[in-house]
Amino acid sequence: MTPMQKLLQLPVNAMNMVKTAQDQMGQQDEAKSPVMTPDGGNHNWYNGEPNDPRHIRFGSGGGDQEERAHLEEGGGSLSSLVTQPLRHDDLKEMLDSNKDSLKLEAMKRIVAMIARGKNASDLFPAVVKNVACKNIEVKKLVYVYLVRYAEEQQDLALLSISTFQRGLKDPNQLIRASALRVLSSIRVTIIVPIMMLAIKEAASDMSPYVRKTAAHAIPKLYSLDPEQKDCLIEVIEKLLADKTTLVAGSVVMAFEEVCPERIDLIHKNYRKLCNLLIDVEEWGQVVIINMLTRYARTQFLNPNMNESLLEEGGGEKAFYGSDNDDDTDDEEDKEEKEKKKTEATAIVKRKPYVMDPDHRLLLRNTKPLLQSRNAAVVMAVAQLYFHLAPKAEVGVIAKALVRLMRSHSEVQYVVLQNVATMSIKRRGMFEPYLKSFYIRSTDPTQIKVLKLEVLTNLANETNISTILREFQTYIKSNDKDFVAATIQAIGRCATNIGEVRDTCLNGLVQLLSNRDELVVAESVVVIKKLLQMQPEQHSDIIKHMAKLTDNIQVPMARASILWLIGEYCEHVPKIAPDVLRKMAKTFTNEEDIVKLQIINLAAKLYLTNSKQTKLLTQYVLNLAKYDQNYDIRDRARFIRQLIVPTDKSGALSKYAKKLFLALKPAPVLESPFKDRDHFQLGSLSHLLNAKAGGYQVLPDWPEAAPDPSVRNVEVKESVITLLERVTTLTSVPEWTKCSSREKRKEKKADKPFYSDSEGESGPTESADSASDTASGSESGSGSEESGSGSESEESNEESESASEEDEEEEGKKKKKNVEKIKARKPVPESESEPSSGEDVKKSEKKSKPRIGSSESESEEDDDSESESSESEEEESEEESEEETKKKKKTTASKPPSKPPKKENKKEKKEMSLLDFDDFDPAPSPSQVTPLNNFLSSSLVTDLEGLSLTENVLSPTTIVPSGNLKTYELLHRITGEGLSVEYCFSRQPFSPDPHMVAVKIQFTNSATSEAKSLHMEDAKLQSGMRIKEFPEIEVLPAGETVSVVMGIDFCDSTQAANFQLCTHTRKFFVSIQPPVGELMMPIFMTENEFKKEQGQLMGMNEITEKLTLEEKCQGEHAVVQRVTTAANLSRVPCGSDKECRFAGKTVTSGSLVLVSVVTKEDGAAQLTVNCEKMVIGTMLVKDILQALTQ
Amino acid sequence: MINSLFLINPSGEIFLEKHWKSVVSRSVCDYFLEAKEKALEPEDVPPVIHTPHHYLISIYRDKLFFLSVIQTEVPPLFVIEFLHRIAEMIQDYFGECSETVVKDHMVMVYELLEEMLDNGFPLATESNVLKEMIRPPTILRSVVNTLTGTSNVGDTLPTGQLSTIPWRRAGVRYTNNEAYFDVVEEIDAILDQSGTTVFAEIQGVVEACVKLSGMPDLTLSFMNPCLLDDVSFHPCVRYKLWESERVLSFIPPDGNFTLMTYHVNAQNLVAIPVYVKQSISFFECGSDGRLDVTVGPKQTMGKTVEGVMVTVHLPKTILSINLTATQGSYTYDNGTKLLVWDIGKLNPQKLPNLRGSLSLQAGAPKPEENPSLNIDLKIQQLAISGLKVNRLDMFGEKYKPFKGVKYITKAGKFQVRT
């Protein structure tokens, strides 16, 4: 069944039924019915075959299509001459039937007609009858039809009004809203009073959605009947006071359309609008921001009025520029002002500028919207900052605007226009993003030209060479319009930047020999302008250009050359007459502008060098006298009178020389975007550089600030709104109530995102409300966070995943370095060992900025949910405390660490997909951020930039202390109560750096004390050496003692055999090192690593493919396992898919490089580069095992 | 604000019109069609056209022109952004945005447009809200509708519009709860003749496919968020939490959406995964030229570079080409002078090479500019910036979702100048 049939099946059957019932239509008629016949024309609305004749006519034809369509439907068309009237009858019939499905089908066809732009107005009576249809889709389509045609069929449209009036009283808010929406869309003047009444009523509806619809209806009514303005303003005023985000955008839209001049209506709502802004839907945000820009221009003072003052206060600049700027709470604001004040008085004795807190509020609340996905919102904020922010703060918008350049080309076009305007006033802002404006050959020409404009605006002494190099590439482009624009741009750079004028000029002169004439012509024009600035130095260029007249044909260029020669004929006294001679010959064939310049040249030469050029001039003037163009004839006559002295010539001829050879000011090459910022940026008017209808002029800053108290809102309890909220909520589904509401409550304080409008914008909240005050500590810096984060969050870490431990340690390492670098930053207290659980908790809290402000914290304490989470934390903290203590001990006495415990933890971990390391089934909200985790790895990347020398990062800091594996040297039974374990401590063995340090731990579990523990009789392979540990004289029963010995294994895994002696016995023991312990870590940068790896190819490189064991996927796990298997250090790497490690063998110092590259599904590749092939092979085996076990 | 919308196909046929205020005759489009005739490429049509009584703002997308008619001052980006939303909505509903699709679903598109704007001002643009009101077509549903005569218009009243979280529909239920995130990074770069990077940056996007029941509250954190220099978010993301903690906290929309786009700090050097050795030369005398292009892997972090494709717009004066490729195949369209060399996977052992001769039209001058090469490539399981998702936590719901992250690196606007 074709889709066509499918579509038609239903009506066909239905039609049959109708028809049999009515028994009117014969077989013949039915065949003609457009519903059935494939050539009837009806199906065209659905399938739109391009061969439909009407269709094509519609597409290509101009003129009033509507009218033509009407004619056609009326029977004018050839193809549907017979079927047309029938078709409409059919539709009417279907509409009249009592089957909803038939009605629906008919309505669908009618709407399809409308969509195609065909006239369906004569169906109005049949359609309007169905306005009260029960079927919701039929009803909707009837509404669509009604709104479209009501204007044309006013009387009939009135039939439907009562339905909507009923709808306005419906208990369901959505039906009320929809009724109002359709009612207000019917453009019938008679119902204006009804609409007005409906809007007024809806404006005080309980449901914010209905109120929103009322706001939408206001501009509709206004456009229908502007007389209603005063009444509508009242409604707007009422709705402006609304406290819901739903209404805010729509009512401001209405305000902008109806009474944008009534800025006074905004006063009382200003702060509320600022606070609601972030939660308003995106389209509303655009409208509100644009309106508030205008408002602010009338109410606040120009923050840049003391520009010099601001520039002096260098410290302030930094303050403004900082990202935490919007987090500054009011106190800081005040401080800042204080500071400014003092500075101001110190520097200038003028009245210092103090920013109105409301002004600051606006800037602060709009800033996050720069991160919106909606380009229009970003642009709105950008223009707000451009027009309102202090100079030093405007910079933040550059990044966002540059981001928009990645968007669709239309967006790019608009953004570039605005950037072009901004870059003239605030060049510094876009300078860091210079390269983002580089042109690709695939850009559309209009984008290329705009980018060029921006590049030119950004050019200055420092970057001009880069820009010119870039321009050189552009000049070669095949897009000649673009090349011409580039040459213009070079010219502008040359005029603006004196240093490069000569370079540019030389470059342009070179272009004069270009094959393309357009390029040459454009260059000539630009050179002409440049030469005008300093002609005396460039007579050879003028000579060169004089030669060009032989070849160049572009009139503008020829004219430019002639003008140049005439103007500077003193500099080229020999050539000029010759040029004139040539020109005189070709005069008749020249273009008009060239002819005018020839006359001009002749006149100037006559005045300076009449001896040589008298005859030539006369000849030219005679030719001109009979020219076809009256302009040229006039000019010739005028000049003749002026320069050729006759009896009749008046006083003017005396001044001929002065007139012709006056010093002319050099032209200023200006950007076409200069001063465009008198239009509000981002507006249509700005784009067109012409005032568009309905454009509201951006006012200038006032001289003195109007009274700020108008914005104060009197305090009153918003019980009504709260009640209202409850009522609305009852009709809202479950989910809004439970989760989001609760969350909202919890997080309200610092997140306007969630903050419900009513709660947030209560009248008590003013600009000074610390609603988004960030904790003071946060504004400190990252180092502080990292400090407290890594230490005190250990508890979290530990309980969450053991595999992250390694990462954390790395974090510590890095942290140390950072501390060294940023030594002046305060080290947080939480570093010190926590004395009690209480302390830990405190520091924990402090370290986690999760819910931000201190204010919210106090609120949370009341919250039962967070309470419970707190107690959870406490538990884990107790545990962690123990662990920390243990750890301290570990570092003190160096006992073997606790692998079994870790093992347990790992098992507890949940299986997860791909890269998510773990997932806690029910984590408390506080565990959202494993802060130190990201910090540590971010620091890794940070460090890449810092070239660290080895002594900064001494080997001790690299040693992972917790991962040491212990081996048994002597079992308790065989040792008769003395058990001996050893591990490779991975510390450098200080007496001899070529030895591996082995830590031996004696535990006396016998009842009597052991005495005189020492070693002797070492049986070693050749070359191996041992440094014995000092004798232990007494080991009391139950005690443990550790000693360190050094063994030089000669880079082999041969065992070192020796005897362990007590005062009573000797045990033969042997220590065999795993290959991974034969090396020690070294620190390398990524580049060094790559270099070294490149040198250890071929035989020295061993590569092995492997599949990572499930638990081992992910960076931490790999790093942890590799570093456990071998004593290597991590090398920073740009990719997270690759882990690199480096070390060198202890004895010979040969490099050992390991890299693990992970791929999909746990596949990985291990590469070991080592000069010592045996070590390499063994190491591969060991690491493989570690990663796959 | 927006008065009318016309959809126009590349041949200039107006196949849909919708008016939100008084009807504007479609003859207004003639100004646009005129500009379109003048432009060489559809992209060259100016997005904003000033006519005596109206302003026309248009976008070109998916081979269609969306033309809106404006009568008074309105931010142009507002309109452009909205037109793109319409295109996205059509894409979202019908799987693609094309002339045929719009014509096949004329009524539904019209109904959607009706809901999206009220009196020219956007009313409901969130996909979830729209889908509650007008259900997208599925094969099953269209069969059922044909048989029973029911429709796609939702019979329950849409409550999404009332919600403070308009992007999420109510009462979502899934048997399998899944949340997948694709981190897609594109390298925008300009390399000069010698292979030096003139300009390079990484633009990334996190695309999400979240099918979770109820009202989950998700928190996504990165291992190295400091890499991100500039970000933009879906409205569901809480700005403040990002500013203070650098985590993405959000109640996700249902289904597919773009969670965030980002830009990686330009100060970090961008790893360029491939190098291109090229020489294109034309001889001064005679009508001949040579082309020799080799592509090889550079900084690939050990991954295979796939889907490598080189696109060249050859100069207009080229008459014919005769090339051989050691790997992959090339196509050349003599009309558009477009040479596309589809290489596929890069094999570091055997570098793909394309070489041969170009012949110019007799007597044509040597082209001044060598054509630049546009490179396309793809690297699976790698985010070239090194960005890494750390973890995803879910609050507010009891079940355990499946979670997954995928990384892909692609070439964005990657151009090699020659």
Side-chain angles (χ1 to χ4, degrees), chain A residues 115-116 137 181 282 406 441 470 476 515 684-685 693 735 754 850 913 919 934 937 1158 1160, chain B residues 13 17 26 73 85 114 118 151 170 188 223 233 235 238 245 251 303 366 369 372 381 403 417:
Chain A
R116 285 205 160 277
E137 189 170 20
R181 197 181 151 198
E282 37 194 352
R406 272 280 297 181
S441 60
E470 190 64 18
K476 286 187 279 176
R515 248 203 326 266
L684 186 61
S685 305
W735 51 265
Y754 254 127
R850 49 166 175 151
L913 279 173
F919 178 74
F934 71 67
S937 63
T1158 50
E1160 290 171 354
Chain B
E13 182 204 340
E17 64 177 68
R26 57 163 67 182
E73 168 67 48
R85 286 290 166 85
E114 179 77 26
D118 183 18
S151 68
D188 283 359
M223 305 276 290
F233 301 123
R238 292 156 189 146
E245 294 175 35
I251 292 177
K303 307 271 178 190
K366 171 190 161 205
E369 186 196 28
S372 44
Q381 285 310 313
K403 297 173 288 183
R417 290 175 177 169

Side-chain angles (χ1 to χ4, degrees), chain A residues 672-801:
Chain A
F673 288 89
K674 191 165 185 273
D675 288 336
R676 260 212 213 173
D677 61 334
H678 64 266
F679 287 114
Q680 187 166 3
L681 268 82
S683 68
L684 186 61
S685 305
H686 169 264
L687 188 84
L688 298 166
N689 201 15
K691 206 176 155 195
Y695 172 73
Q696 293 294 316
V697 179
L698 191 67
D700 267 337
W701 295 103
E703 287 293 314
D707 180 17
S709 66
V710 287
R711 286 182 291 276
N712 291 344
V713 185
E714 60 273 30
V715 183
K716 62 179 175 198
E717 194 37 64
S718 54
V719 180
I720 305 152
T721 36
L722 279 172
L723 267 175
E724 192 177 280
R725 189 159 118 188
V726 172
T727 43
T728 10
L729 279 166
T730 45
S731 61
V732 167
E734 261 290 288
W735 51 265
T736 359
K737 264 187 281 176
C738 59
S739 51
S740 80
R741 278 261 294 144
E742 260 167 27
K743 274 271 156 56
R744 193 181 301 148
K745 200 169 155 197
E746 181 192 332
K747 296 179 177 179
K748 189 172 73 187
D750 66 331
K751 280 191 301 175
F753 183 88
Y754 254 127
S755 65
D756 199 9
S757 35
E758 287 105 316
E760 170 85 14
S761 64
T764 42
E765 287 227 6
S766 69
D768 307 353
S769 76
S771 65
D772 51 355
T773 316
S775 58
S777 69
E778 194 200 312
S779 62
S781 82
S783 83
E784 196 179 15
E785 265 176 21
S786 75
S788 57
S790 55
E791 195 73 31
S792 62
E793 276 206 11
E794 250 169 33
S795 54
N796 255 350
E797 253 344 275
E798 211 89 321
S799 59
E800 265 176 34
S801 80

Side-chain angles (χ1 to χ4, degrees), chain B residues 61-115:
Chain B
R61 183 162 168 164
D62 301 319
K63 302 221 167 72
L64 291 180
F65 289 101
F66 292 71
L67 175 78
S68 60
V69 181
I70 311 294
Q71 265 170 329
T72 53
E73 168 67 48
V74 60
L77 273 184
F78 185 98
V79 182
I80 288 169
E81 184 79 29
F82 183 76
L83 292 177
H84 280 292
R85 286 290 166 85
I86 294 179
E88 274 152 30
M89 182 271 298
I90 294 174
Q91 166 99 37
D92 186 30
Y93 260 77
F94 311 112
E96 63 165 332
C97 178
S98 71
E99 189 183 351
T100 10
V101 153
V102 174
K103 282 183 171 172
D104 286 349
H105 302 97
M106 193 67 108
V107 177
M108 205 187 280
V109 172
Y110 198 84
E111 283 177 304
L112 283 168
L113 291 175
E114 179 77 26
E115 294 298 340

Side-chain angles (χ1 to χ4, degrees), chain A residues 374-376 379 404 410-411 414-415 682, chain B residues 75-82:
Chain A
N374 187 320
M379 189 67 231
L404 294 186
E410 297 88 10
V411 175
V414 178
V415 171
Chain B
L77 273 184
F78 185 98
V79 182
I80 288 169
E81 184 79 29
F82 183 76

Side-chain angles (χ1 to χ4, degrees), chain A residues 73 88 110 113-114 118-124 127 145 149:
Chain A
E73 304 294 333
H88 277 193
I110 294 168
M113 279 166 74
I114 297 172
K118 296 182 180 173
N119 196 334
S121 59
D122 53 340
L123 289 164
F124 202 96
V127 174
Y145 181 90
Y149 284 113

